[in-house]
Amino acid sequence: MKITVIGAGYVGLVTAACFADLGNEVMCVEKVSSKLEKLCRGISPIYEPGLDEMLQKNIKEGRIHFTDKIEEGVNFSDVIFICVGTPQSESGKADLSQVEEAARQIATYMDRYKLIIEKSTVPVNTHKWVKKTVKRYAKNDIEFDVASNPEFLREGSAIYDFMNPDRIVVGVESEKAKQIFQQLYKPFTDKGYPLLITTPQAAELIKHASNSFLAMKISYINMVADLCEKVGADINEVADGMGYDKRIGRAFLNAGLGYGGSCFPKDVKAFVKIAEDNGIDFSLLKEVEKINQRRREKVIELIEDILWINKDKNIAIWGLAFKPDTDDIREAPSIDIVKSLSQTGANLRLYDPKAMDNYKQLFPESDNLKYVDDKYDAVKDADILVIITEWKEFKEADLSRVKSLMRLPIIVDGRNIYDPKSVRDLGFEYYSIGRP
Ligand code: UDX
């Protein structure tokens, strides 16, 4: 099939590359010229494992094209995915101006039937506004459908998630739109992946409800972790015991510093706001947010409890990205932690395998904040090592070497990546989350 994707951000680019890889012909519209120039050379502006290779292969085989002209994109195909950004505004509400702009432009240039699909995360009933906008700005009375097809891609495993979805959700209002989706997703349904057909409003809600639920799971387990610390239980044992119950499941029950990233914080906030706009006080989710924020403060307090005085202490930080396998630092727990520690007069040495370039924009180097290219460099003469992101290379670190390099052998492990007994046997003073 021929497909157009508007917006080569995270979701758009993965969607475009994967659909092309499945044999479709894809036109991707990106208006930022610096991004476009990179994309045409098969270089992804974001770090996502496997994405560059997939782009290069499909560019070479002529299945993916890039343009900055929306007109070209609209003419190219009848199936148009809107994958533009929906950033959070001050009030927590999603800023939908880019979605509106895309809808207007599609309307201006369309000259035959179009299936216009929202893939960006949008508040429930946005499809009604998209429909109204296209109708208002279309030059003629051309038939079109608006549908919702939310994405559930995790950064770091987005290609895997796209190709192996737990479910595909499409919200449609016409038989024609339904049939196009059935054809588009046939390679998936042939393999047995479920295609759930709903109304557009249900599809829009599924996205926010799912992400908020997962965020709730994380805050829930983090509260249980606090209780574990008080009563001498191990949170991993508790989470395992809960997780074997199929109704609960073990996923997203890892206690630690809480959630960050471009989705959960934004989606939970937006969902609370959507509920509020509809006269519903979703207080449960407000508590989820509070608990998540408190994780960061707790670890800052813990470090001060351990060091007594932070001033002039050398603090090594391992991990800045909001989670492993990404260079994304949006809403990362590390931000609050680094910000607070840097104000205490401590000397920080930061290391992350991928996120340091992004981080430098936020926290430029200074006398008491340095970036290093190697995790062992970070711990040289450190009084404490704080682990914020659970990168594989930290899990596999040579802890004897770490100990020999540090001034004091103290580890605060915000992601429970080590076995407490083994670390303590090496002579470390070791603090983790929700474990005795
Ligand atoms: C998420 C959703 O999983 C995805 O379906 C959606 O479309 C986009 O948002 P992503 O933000 O890439 O994906 O990250 P995810 O792997 O879901 O993790 C989110 C945050 O939760 C991370 O900060 C992670 O560290 C944290 N987390 C996750 C925990 O603290 N504990 C867990 O058990 C799982």
Side-chain angles (χ1 to χ4, degrees):
M1 287 176 77
K2 279 185 144 190
I3 297 165
T4 296
V5 173
I6 301 178
Y10 198 82
V11 173
L13 200 50
V14 173
T15 303
C18 289
F19 272 133
D21 209 60
L22 287 164
N24 300 290
E25 204 186 332
V26 181
M27 174 70 74
C28 196
V29 184
E30 174 54 58
K31 62 180 181 186
V32 179
S33 56
S34 56
K35 270 195 192 176
L36 186 71
E37 187 268 325
K38 273 187 161 179
L39 288 168
C40 292
R41 290 187 288 128
I43 300 167
S44 160
I46 47 148
Y47 170 75
E48 179 63 29
L51 189 53
D52 280 353
E53 293 81 351
M54 193 179 255
L55 281 176
Q56 278 154 28
K57 176 176 155 224
N58 286 285
I59 289 174
K60 208 166 137 203
E61 291 171 11
R63 280 191 299 264
I64 191 163
H65 321 276
F66 295 96
T67 180
D68 55 359
K69 293 179 191 64
I70 191 138
E71 183 178 359
E72 202 179 330
V74 175
N75 283 330
F76 181 79
S77 90
D78 300 342
V79 180
I80 305 177
F81 283 92
I82 301 181
C83 300
V84 295
T86 52
Q88 190 178 298
S89 67
E90 291 263 309
S91 66
K93 232 178 173 161
D95 170 358
L96 298 175
S97 54
Q98 294 181 56
V99 175
E100 193 263 356
E101 189 188 343
R104 253 188 302 125
Q105 289 175 321
I106 294 168
T108 310
Y109 295 117
M110 68 183 198
D111 57 2
R112 56 181 195 275
Y113 172 84
K114 300 287 166 192
L115 172 58
I116 302 162
I117 308 158
E118 313 162 339
K119 208 159 187 52
S120 314
T121 303
V122 291
V124 62
N125 282 331
T126 298
H127 71 280
K128 289 190 178 156
W129 275 108
V130 172
K131 212 159 127 181
K132 207 168 175 174
T133 306
V134 175
K135 239 189 205 131
R136 275 179 179 164
Y137 288 88
K139 292 201 182 100
N140 304 304
D141 197 13
I142 300 164
E143 187 197 357
F144 69 94
D145 278 302
V146 175
S148 164
N149 174 210
E151 57 79 24
F152 302 98
L153 312 174
R154 286 165 305 170
E155 289 187 23
S157 49
I159 291 175
Y160 177 87
D161 289 351
F162 190 96
M163 295 298 191
N164 304 274
D166 287 343
R167 78 304 206 186
I168 299 157
V169 175
V170 297
V172 292
E173 281 178 321
S174 79
E175 187 56 32
K176 186 167 182 170
K178 180 177 155 185
Q179 282 173 10
I180 295 175
F181 276 117
Q182 281 168 335
Q183 193 191 341
L184 184 64
Y185 283 113
K186 194 167 180 302
F188 295 88
T189 48
D190 282 351
K191 284 190 193 158
Y193 294 112
L195 174 66
L196 190 69
I197 303 198
T198 68
T199 59
Q201 46 273 52
E204 288 164 337
L205 274 180
I206 287 168
K207 172 66 199 243
H208 271 124
S210 301
N211 273 359
S212 298
F213 188 86
L214 292 172
M216 181 180 76
K217 256 186 124 174
I218 297 170
S219 282
Y220 183 86
I221 204 67
N222 280 330
M223 286 312 291
V224 179
D226 283 356
L227 186 56
C228 282
E229 278 173 24
K230 296 283 180 208
V231 300
D234 183 327
I235 188 61
N236 287 347
E237 288 181 5
V238 176
D240 288 346
M242 290 167 64
Y244 275 109
D245 186 328
K246 286 194 191 68
R247 294 168 303 174
I248 299 174
R250 180 64 177 81
F252 284 75
L253 287 183
N254 293 324
L257 295 173
Y259 61 81
S262 65
C263 287
F264 283 6
K266 180 174 93 147
D267 289 356
V268 173
K269 236 183 206 73
F271 207 33
V272 168
K273 191 77 182 99
I274 292 164
E276 215 169 88
D277 289 347
N278 286 283
I280 291 160
D281 179 12
F282 214 146
S283 54
L284 175 68
L285 287 181
K286 291 182 193 162
E287 209 50 48
V288 165
E289 288 186 298
K290 266 193 225 153
I291 293 166
N292 196 56
Q293 185 56 31
R294 184 77 195 115
R295 306 312 293 165
R296 303 166 183 206
E297 294 156 11
K298 264 191 66 145
V299 84
I300 296 163
E301 289 162 15
L302 173 64
I303 293 166
E304 207 160 292
D305 276 352
I306 298 167
L307 293 178
W308 182 28
I309 304 288
N310 285 1
K311 190 169 178 296
D312 297 331
K313 298 284 164 55
N314 297 334
I315 302 182
I317 306 278
W318 278 6
L320 303 169
F322 85 96
K323 68 171 197 179
D325 297 318
T326 175
D327 63 354
D328 197 338
I329 58 165
R330 284 176 286 178
E331 302 284 334
S334 69
I335 295 175
D336 287 337
I337 298 167
V338 166
K339 193 169 172 187
S340 166
L341 292 177
S342 67
Q343 285 162 356
T344 62
N347 304 310
L348 305 186
R349 283 167 82 83
L350 315 183
Y351 171 73
D352 186 281
K354 291 278 177 222
M356 291 199 291
D357 283 346
N358 286 340
Y359 222 75
K360 282 175 191 166
Q361 324 256 331
L362 211 58
F363 294 96
E365 279 219 341
S366 68
D367 284 348
N368 74 342
L369 192 149
K370 299 269 180 246
Y371 292 89
V372 290
D373 290 331
D374 179 86
K375 59 181 172 290
Y376 297 110
D377 251 2
V379 296
K380 262 184 209 152
D381 293 324
D383 296 286
I384 193 165
L385 162 62
V386 183
I387 300 169
I388 302 185
T389 317
E390 65 278 33
W391 285 91
K392 190 160 170 259
E393 70 168 81
F394 302 153
K395 292 181 183 170
E396 293 169 352
D398 176 352
L399 290 183
S400 304
R401 185 166 165 207
V402 170
K403 183 164 177 273
S404 69
L405 290 165
M406 291 179 77
R407 187 153 66 184
L408 296 178
I410 307 176
I411 298 180
V412 169
D413 176 358
R415 297 291 179 180
N416 290 353
I417 64 174
Y418 301 128
D419 168 50
K421 186 175 177 314
S422 331
V423 184
R424 288 187 185 123
D425 285 351
L426 285 170
F428 281 100
E429 198 177 313
Y430 177 68
Y431 302 85
S432 57
I433 309 285
R435 298 193 293 179

